[in-house]
Amino acid sequence: MSFFGLQQTDLEQDKRKFLESGLHESEDVAVYTWGEDSYDGLGDALQEGGDELNDETFGGSGAVGKDFDFSNPALPEDKRVSHDAPQVKREQSVDKEPHQHQQPSSLRPSQPSRSTAHSLEAIWDDKSPFSVLPRMNSTSRASPAPSAKFSPFASETFSNAGQQSVLHKSNQPQPRVRTLQEIEAEMLQQRSAAQRQQEVLLQQRHHEEEHIRLAQEQELQRQQRIYQQEQQQLQIHRLLQQQREQQQHMRTPPPRMLPVSQSPRFLEHQRQILLLQQQQEQQQQQRLQELQEQLRFEEIERQMVAQMTLQQNPNQYASRRAVPNLTSPENQVLQHQQLQRRQRSQSPVTGSNITPIQDNMSYLPQNIQLQQRLLSEMTQAEYMRDIQGASQAEQEALRAEAMRKIVEAEKMEEKRRRKAAKIAHMARYNDLMTQSDKDFITRIQVSQLVTQDPYADDFYAQVYGAILRSRMGLQSQDERVIKFGSGGGIGLGLAQKGGNRRPNAMQRMEQQVERIVSNARKREEEKGLHSLHSLQGALGKTSGRSYKAAPRQLLQVDASNPSASPTISPAHAHISKSSNINESAAKEAAKLGREALGTAADTDNLVRKEPLTQREVLIILERLYDIVLRVEQLRRDQPLPEDDESSREWQKEYDSLVDELWVELRVMVPLETSHPHPFISLLTPTKGKKILPRLTRHLSSERMLTLLTLLVACFSQLDVIRQASVLDSNEDSREHADVERQTQAFLGSVMQSILPHVSNASLRLVTGLLGLLLDRSNIAAIAQSKPGLALLTLFLSRVEVIKQTSGSELAEIPSSEEQLQWQTMFDHLFELLAPYFIYLFPSTRAPIVVPPGHSNPADIADQPVWQFLAALALHAVIEQHQVLVTSLREKVLDIILSVNKGWVASEEERQTKLANVNLFLHALGLDSSQVAL
Amino acid sequence: MDPSASGIQEPFDLIRLSLSERVFVKLRGDRELTGILHAYDGHMNLILSDVEETIMIVDTEGAPDGQGTVNVAKRRMEMLFVRGDGVILVSPPSRT
């Protein structure tokens, strides 16, 4: 061993030790140090068996021959052997004394000397690999001062007490709980010594205060210890949780996390997995922190309570301060004892053996720091209070304030943590898609949105938006459409309202779309420069529209291609051919009608036809709708007036469409072509009635007059007139409902569309129209229908208006001839209607038995009739008045009687009845109140 | 009118003619509807208003010698969406 630079003397010493140990040289194996204090007792746990043949194997039973005894004679001379020997001998000793292993205590007497002599040199000498073990054992296991370990508090109190005055010396040797007698004895003793100690008191008080502070510090430490203990449990819990969570995580990986090892983004995913794990750890820690905080909170509360007990005495402090000579010693003692008691009672844990675990400390710092800060603040405040003698109320307020602050801080903390956790959770999917992925998807979406006609494809949203805007009074004329020259565009739907994130998103989308489109266009241009479009579309079109293929197409009106639409077909060519033939005749007829000649068109070259079938009507109507939609679209696309070229073009297209519309309407077909007239047939379905207002907007007033004439001439052919009698029945049938629906549609659509033209008509025209009506139809039947009555009222009121304004200069003054014509026509009408006056009332035609308590719907239904009769009365002469009164006398009297007798269900009904009657009577210059019963 | 002239090129064009008209719809499960057709699509999903549904319920139980009695249940609805997969036929109502 000289080459290790160790001294020979060590070896010598060693040898000496071997020899000295005497009893067994094999004791060299004692490197195991079984007998030492630091022996870990593992030897006892050894399982040894199968030793029966050991003796035979090693020849242990007989005397050991010298054959294998290399060590003994070699010891003095051979250094090398001396090193090897212990190994062999150890084995031998094991053989010989197996029991010694199991009874290490028996070795003890011989061991201590060795172990104590365990110097550094001895270790160096020791070649056995095990030689180091006991030392490590001993260092780790050798506990310095066992008492200091588990009751630092106690020891500190000791030291504190030691610093303190004589008075406390009596307490010093008593770390245990003192009995009451002891305390009493002490108190007695102290009282006797009180006089002596007065001079020391000032100093003592100082000490006292320090003591309190120290005690609080101790408590703090104690809390830390409790904390650590709880921490241990928490850690176990945490570990379990972690495991569980990891398993969970393995079960539900986020999308695209699984088989991507070959993907170029694998690394990123790995990073994300790491991130995820970190997040999970964070979450766990957060959960832990929550628990910790809860603990801390409890701790603080406990502390507060402790302080309360402590502060029950500030009065005493104060009094003592005021009169220090009298009560201070007792007080002091009492307080001290109280303090100690409190400390003991509050720290049951300090008694038990707690070994703080280093690992847990890592979780503590911030909490402890916070805790300590809060506590130190509080203790300081308390200290200050003690010194300054603050009032109880102030203290209370301060404490409350402190509590509030703590709670607030914790709430904030909690909030923040929850938010962070949420964000972290959502961030799981961050960066799952690259920017190019997103762009790709946007491109696909945008390509789906691009259409040839953005406005029409977005029609309902656009129209609705326009309606909304006009309703809100906003005058933004822009259509919410992005257009890309001729290439098409994108409908943007409704304008977004509100200042939320949505508008931003929409704006972003718009910008993105514009960028994409402009990029695409640029690329297109470049391609055009380079490749002469030879390969364009070779790989198919990108902007497929397959997604909305079937359902939408059918209702779509493709303005650019008429043949694509099912009903716009070359058919109208052949129709207009036939109508062309008769055009002049029809014109003639209409003209004649308008001239109120009351004669049918000349029948020279009349082609009689079957009336249009239902199916034909429907087909024509579909075609009409197509044209109307196109015209409406055209109106929206009207170019600016400055643009002459396109304006003219537009006007041309518009005119041709309107012409087409006019032809399709078949107004110019001769009157007698069929019964009903084709135009009247077109008005039969609801949609035929409803298209009229949309259509008449585009017709010139000339054409409208023609239409009006035709309508009046063929009024009796209208379905609503023919089937008007259905309404007289009160049964609740489908037919009744249908006719009602048609009638409403007629009044709402057809009458509305002719109203402005009638109300501008001249007296001559009105006379002519009335004449036409009287001539061509059964006026009694017409007057018994709602639409007929409405039309007649319309005529009469128009004439009344003309009469009233005839004095003024603005209206064209009807000639006396015209007035005479009108009077003739009116007389004719009156004459025809006179026998039926009473039957004009729906209530007369179909008397309704109204159960009492219900308002009579007949009154409402009768209202237009009363209006008509009033209008009639206005035009009538005296003799006609008498006819009117005689025929309606009964009806009027009936109503007045029922009103006066109170045979009405409600005030409302009474009012309606009276208003009805008065409407008529006023026209005669009478009033219901004048009628004598 | 010949088909080309009328512009009827596919079956759906016939249904289009009946828009906003009363139609008769036969459905699977012995159901029939009459109502005013407002909209339809390629799946024959329909939107009808003022609908009367007629359900035939054949009651085979308790009837002698296999002769089930047919009960007819009717109900009315303001507005109805009919899923296309149940539609057997759509026709204009028979006119008398």
Side-chain angles (χ1 to χ4, degrees), chain A residues 566 569 571 614 622 626 687, chain B residues 5 7 13 16-17 19 36 95:
Chain A
S569 64
Q614 172 75 7
E622 283 308 312
D626 282 340
K687 52 183 166 181
Chain B
D13 292 341
R16 187 185 171 185
L17 295 181
L19 276 173
I36 292 157
R95 286 179 182 273

Side-chain angles (χ1 to χ4, degrees), chain A residues 313-332:
Chain A
N313 311 2
N315 303 344
Q316 288 176 329
Y317 271 91
S319 64
R320 193 187 57 194
R321 215 164 271 132
V323 217
N325 305 353
L326 295 177
T327 52
S328 54
E330 283 162 343
N331 263 338
Q332 211 161 10

Side-chain angles (χ1 to χ4, degrees), chain A residues 639-782:
Chain A
L640 297 169
E642 301 95 66
D643 196 347
D644 265 359
E645 175 86 9
S646 54
S647 264
R648 233 175 295 131
E649 217 162 276
W650 177 85
Q651 191 63 43
K652 205 173 129 200
E653 197 183 344
Y654 180 75
D655 287 346
S656 77
L657 274 179
V658 173
D659 283 345
E660 204 179 322
L661 208 59
W662 181 244
V663 170
E664 283 295 337
L665 265 180
R666 288 161 171 75
V667 174
M668 303 311 283
V669 174
L671 273 176
E672 300 299 333
T673 305
S674 63
H675 184 92
H677 188 270
F679 174 69
I680 301 301
S681 293
L682 291 179
L683 288 181
T684 306
T686 323
K687 52 183 166 181
K689 295 182 178 73
K690 281 183 175 162
I691 199 178
L692 210 62
R694 287 174 79 173
L695 191 147
T696 51
R697 228 177 295 153
H698 307 289
L699 296 179
S700 62
S701 59
E702 186 89 357
R703 280 173 169 169
M704 265 318 288
L705 283 181
T706 316
L707 190 148
L708 179 60
T709 313
L710 181 65
L711 185 68
V712 170
C714 302
F715 209 75
S716 60
Q717 298 172 1
L718 285 167
D719 61 324
V720 282
I721 305 294
R722 279 182 292 154
Q723 296 174 337
S725 57
V726 174
L727 291 177
D728 292 340
S729 72
N730 291 308
E731 59 170 320
D732 189 20
S733 68
R734 164 92 48 76
E735 195 185 12
H736 187 278
D738 278 348
V739 173
E740 183 65 38
R741 201 162 56 90
Q742 297 284 2
T743 306
Q744 287 306 321
F746 186 86
L747 290 174
S749 298
V750 180
M751 289 307 279
Q752 287 306 311
S753 56
I754 62 167
L755 182 70
H757 297 277
V758 173
S759 56
N760 285 329
S762 63
L763 182 62
R764 201 162 83 97
L765 180 65
V766 178
T767 313
L769 287 175
L770 185 59
L772 200 59
L773 191 66
L774 294 176
D775 187 63
R776 287 185 56 85
S777 17
N778 177 3
I779 194 65
I782 285 174

Side-chain angles (χ1 to χ4, degrees), chain A residues 183-428:
Chain A
I183 292 164
E184 275 171 5
E186 231 175 321
M187 283 166 71
L188 280 169
Q189 197 186 354
Q190 278 157 7
R191 185 170 291 177
S192 66
Q195 291 291 20
R196 245 187 311 119
Q197 287 164 347
Q198 270 186 356
E199 59 264 30
V200 210
L201 273 177
L202 270 174
Q203 195 194 349
Q204 275 175 0
R205 200 185 304 144
H206 207 73
H207 278 303
E208 164 82 18
E209 278 157 0
E210 201 171 50
H211 182 83
I212 292 168
R213 211 183 61 233
L214 280 166
Q216 273 164 352
E217 276 171 12
Q218 285 161 15
E219 182 149 354
L220 206 83
Q221 283 168 347
R222 186 184 55 79
Q223 281 167 4
Q224 284 178 14
R225 271 196 306 279
I226 295 170
Y227 197 68
Q228 283 158 6
Q229 205 182 26
E230 280 159 338
Q231 205 69 63
Q232 273 176 299
Q233 295 168 351
L234 276 173
Q235 203 185 17
I236 292 161
H237 181 66
R238 189 175 68 91
L239 278 166
L240 284 171
Q241 215 169 23
Q242 201 165 9
Q243 273 183 335
R244 215 181 317 135
E245 235 157 287
Q246 268 166 357
Q247 283 168 355
Q248 242 170 12
H249 172 55
M250 296 303 277
R251 273 201 300 275
T252 56
R256 297 185 61 186
M257 281 289 174
L258 291 173
V260 279
S261 51
Q262 299 96 331
S263 138
R265 294 197 211 108
F266 180 57
L267 277 177
E268 203 176 341
H269 283 230
Q270 289 258 316
R271 191 173 59 78
Q272 266 181 335
I273 290 167
L274 270 172
L275 213 98
L276 265 164
Q277 280 170 354
Q278 279 172 6
Q279 280 163 8
Q280 279 187 338
E281 264 167 274
Q282 275 174 7
Q283 283 169 12
Q284 279 164 4
Q285 276 191 353
Q286 275 162 7
R287 222 167 294 137
L288 224 116
Q289 276 176 355
E290 275 165 44
L291 279 166
Q292 283 171 359
E293 240 168 355
Q294 208 179 344
L295 284 169
R296 197 187 59 189
F297 193 65
E298 283 167 15
E299 208 48 54
I300 288 164
E301 265 185 343
R302 227 181 298 169
Q303 170 112 12
M304 296 297 280
V305 173
Q307 280 172 357
M308 295 272 275
T309 57
L310 190 69
Q311 281 160 10
Q312 278 164 0
N313 311 2
N315 303 344
Q316 288 176 329
Y317 271 91
S319 64
R320 193 187 57 194
R321 215 164 271 132
V323 217
N325 305 353
L326 295 177
T327 52
S328 54
E330 283 162 343
N331 263 338
Q332 211 161 10
V333 170
L334 255 171
Q335 282 206 321
H336 186 72
Q337 285 168 355
Q338 216 174 19
L339 209 83
Q340 279 192 333
R341 251 201 308 263
R342 181 164 62 82
Q343 283 164 354
R344 281 198 206 102
S345 65
Q346 278 197 343
S347 54
V349 220
T350 42
S352 67
N353 192 351
I354 310 156
T355 33
I357 287 177
Q358 292 295 315
D359 291 6
N360 289 333
M361 291 304 282
S362 60
Y363 288 109
L364 293 178
Q366 76 237 41
N367 285 308
I368 295 276
Q369 273 170 16
L370 183 64
Q371 203 175 352
Q372 278 173 342
R373 209 185 60 228
L374 287 166
L375 287 174
S376 64
E377 275 172 15
M378 280 193 288
T379 49
Q380 206 171 3
E382 197 184 339
Y383 184 64
M384 294 298 281
R385 269 201 305 279
D386 285 349
I387 286 173
Q388 293 165 359
S391 72
Q392 187 88 21
E394 272 175 47
Q395 288 171 20
E396 284 294 332
L398 270 170
R399 209 175 309 126
E401 177 79 358
M403 277 304 281
R404 198 178 54 77
K405 270 182 185 164
I406 291 165
V407 170
E408 221 165 68
E410 282 185 14
K411 265 185 191 163
M412 291 298 286
E413 177 70 7
E414 172 75 6
K415 221 182 201 173
R416 192 193 60 73
R417 211 177 307 116
R418 276 227 306 274
K419 200 173 169 188
K422 208 172 174 184
I423 289 169
H425 184 73
M426 286 194 299
R428 273 204 308 161

